[in-house]
Amino acid sequence: MTEVINPRPDHKVLEIGTGSGYQAAVLAEIVQEVYTIEIIPELGRSAKASLNNLGYDNIKFRIGMGTWVGPSLRHMMLLFVTAAPPYVPEALKEQLKIGGKMVIPVGPKRQVQSLKLIEKASPTRFKSRVLFPVRFVPMKKEN
């Protein structure tokens, strides 16, 4: 997934679904900054503590709903989603800058899903490509 979005040292990445923090750490080794959001508070706090202890200072953490990240993180070049919604949320597509890329697993829970690469061609036009089958945890709704 990391290779598909082609991260560069000058990029800032928005990751939806911090989980253990592993993917945030991988991205932080490559890009300028990682903004990561986790909906499960205990999981987010644990990942933050682990990554801070390991010396990662270019990862910013947030606990909350990943489909709404607010105006400060709008128009990101790269968006990395690690939980599968049943369809690609419009709110996530709106987070992308023109020319930006999102990699996201999409499909029903407990079944085979599709990893998709979505590229924003214009404010209203997106290119979407199915990469390969995957199985991810379902994207949770905010409690």
Side-chain angles (χ1 to χ4, degrees), residues 1-57:
M1 287 176 68
T2 304
E3 191 175 307
V4 166
I5 61 171
N6 193 27
R8 296 191 318 249
D10 62 326
H11 282 151
K12 295 179 182 178
V13 179
L14 173 59
E15 177 193 38
I16 309 296
T18 309
S20 68
Y22 176 80
Q23 186 59 54
V26 168
L27 292 166
E29 291 290 332
I30 302 167
V31 302
Q32 182 181 4
E33 283 185 307
V34 177
Y35 297 86
T36 185
I37 300 171
E38 176 58 54
I39 196 169
I40 302 171
E42 300 80 23
L43 203 50
R45 286 192 292 269
S46 175
K48 181 178 182 178
S50 295
L51 294 175
N52 284 343
N53 286 339
L54 290 169
Y56 285 98
D57 59 359

Side-chain angles (χ1 to χ4, degrees), residues 1-6 79-81 101-106 112-119 127-134 136:
M1 287 176 68
T2 304
E3 191 175 307
V4 166
I5 61 171
N6 193 27
L79 209 151
F80 202 95
V81 184
K101 297 177 187 176
M102 170 174 35
V103 63
I104 182 171
V106 179
V112 175
Q113 302 145 345
S114 296
L115 187 67
K116 291 186 174 187
L117 174 64
I118 303 197
E119 297 179 72
K127 291 189 261 181
S128 179
R129 183 168 52 119
V130 174
L131 302 172
F132 44 82
V134 292
F136 278 73

